[in-house]
Amino acid sequence: MTPSCEQPGEKKQTTLLFGACGRQAATYQSLGKLGLPRTFSAPVAPQRPAVNLLCSHCIASLWMLPSSSPTSLLYPRSPPPGVTGWEPGRFLPHQALGMEVTMVPGKGPSFPEPLREERDLQRLRDPTTVASELSYVFQAITLTRQRLAGRVPLIGFAGAPWTLMTYMVEGGGSSTMAQAKRWLYQRPQASHQLLRILTDALVPYLVGQVAAGAQALQLFESHAGHLGPQLFSKFALPYIRDVAKRVKAGLQESGLAPVPMIIFAKDGHFALEELAQAGYEVVGLDWTVAPEKARDRVGKTVTLQGNLDPCALYASEEEIGQLVQQMLNDFGPQRYIANLGHGLYPDMDPEHVGAFVDAVHKHSRLLRQN
């Protein structure tokens, strides 16, 4: 008999929404074939300081204490009739592998001892120990799921292998990823070794999130655009495929029900066809991709997610409504998730996020009626 992730006292869910790192919001529609409700819901875009810390990956102080992730942190306004999405820290796999990650004010994540030489790979811990190293994350997921009490589903997240590798080699963020790409050209075998290690770490991490209560998973290849078609096909796509294949197999082996998986490769428009066949139910689009052209390229059997320019939320609420209406018209009502094309920025007005949500609800209902 297949175990259920349902928590004690949990009510049946009626709506579904995903948010990425508390920054990316999504409203699902026409997802019956994914086993998800065919309804609309309000996205979640936490703006409170505690959540901003989490979304800035200051997870060490938050997620090591499950009691510090109460439901109240998940809502910037009143609880919406949708899903709460959260990311338990993009850099948690790094920490589980033994790399130190610090947060530098005004700069972001920093790795004091990045990987510089091939021999540095020997410093990394066995990736099979990730699940035990991150048990506090799974406890936090379970507690959050329980406190949601069935009002909204919960999604888990992780960075994809190439994106995780860039931080380990660069020592932090980079506008060029030159050091990481240097590895690809000068140390291709070591690069593949590192990417395999990260894949081996991600699989139990994602399976563990589902076992703890996550009801869908999203993989972020945030730095896909730095690669281009050739490097992406060689150093990113194989591992993206492997994560999906192995996570689904891991869920089955663990007696867990399958969950929808989403792949978002920012600036990876050159690989849309490949991503659509990589084993994920949903392909996320950034705001630089025309919806009609994306649909023509991926076919009708894949759900698309996206893709309003996040900076559109700086516009007036009236203009936000107009932009949302155009976006929904461009995507159409079938196999589509209304979302921003990337993350929210810290200075964005939560009320404008609410205007985005309300506009999606309004115009999507009209679209369905027509």
Side-chain angles (χ1 to χ4, degrees):
M1 184 174 181
T2 302
S4 170
C5 288
E6 184 173 332
Q7 303 297 327
E10 187 171 61
K11 299 179 181 179
K12 183 178 180 180
Q13 298 147 0
T14 57
T15 52
L16 185 65
L17 153 84
F18 295 170
C21 193
R23 293 166 45 193
Q24 191 175 27
T27 302
Y28 276 65
Q29 64 175 283
S30 300
L31 292 184
K33 291 187 177 181
L34 296 185
L36 304 177
R38 298 171 180 265
T39 54
F40 302 98
S41 57
V44 179
Q47 297 290 331
R48 294 180 181 178
V51 178
N52 284 339
L53 284 175
L54 175 60
C55 297
S56 299
H57 313 296
C58 290
I59 41 75
S61 61
L62 280 174
W63 289 101
M64 290 185 74
L65 297 173
S67 60
S68 66
S69 54
T71 304
S72 61
L73 290 181
L74 303 176
Y75 303 108
R77 309 161 85 193
S78 60
V83 143
T84 295
W86 66 283
E87 177 183 12
R90 184 180 304 178
F91 306 113
L92 286 173
H94 293 126
Q95 294 176 319
L97 289 172
M99 294 199 72
E100 180 183 357
V101 185
T102 61
M103 292 300 298
V104 179
K107 180 181 177 182
S110 176
F111 291 68
E113 298 184 28
L115 304 178
R116 294 303 187 199
E117 303 293 339
E118 184 173 350
R119 62 176 178 269
D120 291 338
L121 296 180
Q122 299 174 9
R123 293 167 20 206
L124 301 179
R125 295 174 184 160
D126 183 350
T128 62
T129 65
V130 165
S132 59
E133 292 286 340
L134 298 179
S135 60
Y136 60 90
V137 177
F138 305 139
Q139 293 172 23
I141 294 175
T142 299
L143 178 61
T144 303
R145 175 76 183 273
Q146 291 172 346
R147 294 188 179 185
L148 289 174
R151 289 174 294 176
V152 289
L154 185 65
I155 185 171
F157 293 86
W162 158 247
T163 291
L164 297 180
M165 174 182 169
T166 61
Y167 289 100
M168 299 172 81
V169 175
E170 296 285 345
S174 169
S175 61
T176 64
M177 300 298 163
Q179 293 303 315
K181 292 178 70 175
R182 182 177 182 177
W183 266 60
L184 303 184
Y185 284 111
Q186 294 187 353
R187 304 182 181 93
Q189 292 183 344
S191 296
H192 280 298
Q193 181 182 354
L194 176 55
L195 290 165
R196 284 193 295 269
I197 290 172
L198 289 166
T199 301
D200 290 344
L202 282 171
V203 171
Y205 179 48
L206 290 169
V207 171
Q209 290 186 46
V210 176
Q215 293 154 285
L217 298 170
Q218 181 156 331
L219 194 70
F220 284 86
E221 192 67 281
S222 302
H223 299 154
H226 288 280
L227 291 177
Q230 289 74 31
L231 289 179
F232 185 83
S233 295
K234 186 175 182 180
F235 291 102
L237 187 59
Y239 301 99
I240 289 173
R241 288 172 174 158
D242 202 29
V243 168
K245 180 180 179 180
R246 291 174 59 186
V247 165
K248 291 181 177 183
L251 293 175
Q252 185 175 15
E253 292 170 2
S254 300
L256 296 167
V259 299
M261 294 187 68
I262 309 159
I263 178 64
F264 176 75
K266 187 175 183 297
D267 297 322
H269 48 83
F270 49 78
L272 278 182
E273 293 88 348
E274 291 83 358
L275 290 168
Q277 299 176 26
Y280 295 78
E281 286 71 33
V282 183
V283 175
L285 306 177
D286 62 47
W287 70 94
T288 66
V289 181
E292 304 96 324
K293 293 182 178 179
R295 175 55 70 193
D296 289 341
R297 291 174 60 186
V298 306
K300 297 181 179 180
T301 60
V302 176
T303 297
L304 292 176
Q305 173 179 283
N307 69 337
L308 188 69
D309 180 355
C311 289
L313 297 189
Y314 290 125
S316 67
E317 294 188 12
E318 179 181 2
E319 186 175 359
I320 290 172
Q322 295 170 355
L323 293 170
V324 167
Q325 182 178 17
Q326 183 62 55
M327 177 183 71
L328 295 180
N329 289 337
D330 290 342
F331 275 102
Q334 301 301 319
R335 290 191 175 277
Y336 169 57
I337 302 167
N339 199 343
L340 299 177
H342 200 230
L344 299 172
Y345 304 130
D347 63 344
M348 286 181 168
D349 187 345
E351 294 304 315
H352 284 213
V353 179
F356 167 77
V357 175
D358 295 340
V360 169
H361 288 176
K362 174 184 176 181
H363 295 295
S364 56
R365 291 191 183 103
L366 292 174
L367 188 63
R368 293 179 70 189
Q369 291 172 3
N370 297 330

